[in-house]
Amino acid sequence: MLGLTLLVVACPGALVISIPVSIVAGIGRSARDGILIKGGEFLETAAKIDVVAVDKTGTLTKGRPQLTDVVALAPGVEKNHVLAWAARAEAGSEHPLARPILEAAEKAGIPVAALPEHIEPVIGKGITARVDGKRVLIGNLALLEQFGVADTVGADRVAHELATQGRTPMIVAVDDQVLGVIAVADEIRRDAAAMVAALHKAGVKKVVMLTGDVKPVADAVAAATGIDEVHAGLLPEDKLDIVARLQRAGHVVAMVGDGVNDAPALATADVGVAMGAAGSAVAVETADIALMGDDLLKLPEAISLARRTLANIRQNIVIALVTVGLLLAGVLMGGVTMAAGMLFHEGSVLIVIANAMRLLRRATPAHSAPLSTVARESAPSI
């Protein structure tokens, strides 16, 4: 009878369910909040995140840039002339910056009759197109240097001035002549600064920006949002290398992105986070966590929930082990019968379940209201 009682009492029923019940409750709570976590493994890893890397365009910014400047530099060239060549070349481009150029040309009454005869993207530099038999270059100074076009009108200086104002400049050249510079700007999401502050409050040591944009624009966004570290002018493989470098330094890294070019870094990071509503299908498929709305504050909320879940798991394990230990001691001392042992044993199972169910309640951090207010009051344009 003593042997049977020991076997029954020592059966770790509460211990067995202590982890799964907390994981299920945590994932259920996140799903109600519009955060899709693809498994318990990623929920547990998210609780250990200490560095968050974020893409700029479409993540920190709205991803809907508008044309802000058209600067004509060549003698005898007007602004509409520069915009017309840019629009004709970009008509065949799938790049996100093509849309604001074409929209601005339409508003200015500039006809874009047909697609260019040929168009080719130059990674990290811009595009080259063939329009009416002429070569059109739209991009940075490195693109001009690659095709041997001399900047004789100070386009690089103008581009740098626009970039320091938080705008993305593009030099326009036709054949071997630089015509001018056009610039677009994107609006920072209203909750971007609040997200960075909330991440720090949630225990994240460092928030890093990874962007393919030029450094002055990236620095302007970082200054407006409180980003700790900036890496600009990156290709997709460069983002992946930086994430891997942070991991080698001993950090648990989350990568947040929304585009196809973010997919390699999302896959490499310990936890990949995709902006589900605005993100590409590739980004959402590659990521471990998807934010199903455009609310960036869901990210610190997900990390806080993961930390609560991990703490809840530890509590359940302690409850289960302490209960089994006390019951075993009671049986050996002769004060606990099999019936009493089973009663207390099942009681501990119910306690573990009830403790895990607390995760289903929505937590309201003390700092959430002020942060939301800040997000509503400031939305700088970059």
Side-chain angles (χ1 to χ4, degrees), residues 120-281:
E120 181 180 351
V122 182
I123 297 176
K125 298 178 182 179
I127 67 164
T128 173
R130 179 69 57 178
V131 178
D132 295 337
K134 296 180 179 293
R135 184 190 66 198
V136 182
L137 303 178
I138 305 177
N140 54 25
L141 187 63
L143 181 68
L144 301 186
E145 294 173 348
Q146 177 177 329
F147 286 87
V149 178
D151 177 16
T152 59
V153 292
D156 187 44
R157 175 184 54 79
V158 174
H160 179 74
E161 291 175 357
L162 291 170
T164 56
Q165 298 171 26
R167 299 165 187 173
T168 301
M170 292 170 281
I171 302 172
V172 180
V174 177
D175 286 335
D176 294 327
Q177 182 185 22
V178 175
L179 300 185
V181 180
I182 59 177
V184 298
D186 200 356
E187 185 179 351
I188 296 178
R189 290 180 184 268
R190 299 167 69 91
D191 49 3
M195 177 201 70
V196 175
L199 285 173
H200 286 141
K201 287 180 179 292
V204 175
K205 297 178 182 177
K206 184 165 60 175
V207 182
V208 181
M209 181 197 298
L210 307 180
T211 178
D213 214 334
V214 294
K215 196 171 191 314
V217 175
D219 288 339
V221 175
T225 57
I227 295 288
D228 301 303
E229 187 177 310
V230 176
H231 297 273
L234 303 179
L235 300 175
E237 54 268 30
D238 297 327
K239 295 182 180 181
L240 186 151
D241 291 340
I242 292 173
V243 169
R245 190 191 314 156
L246 290 168
Q247 290 173 317
R248 288 194 296 270
H251 297 291
V252 179
V253 182
M255 173 66 195
V256 187
D258 75 316
V260 175
N261 60 348
D262 299 320
L266 287 171
T268 301
D270 296 287
V271 178
V273 182
M275 297 293 293
S280 69

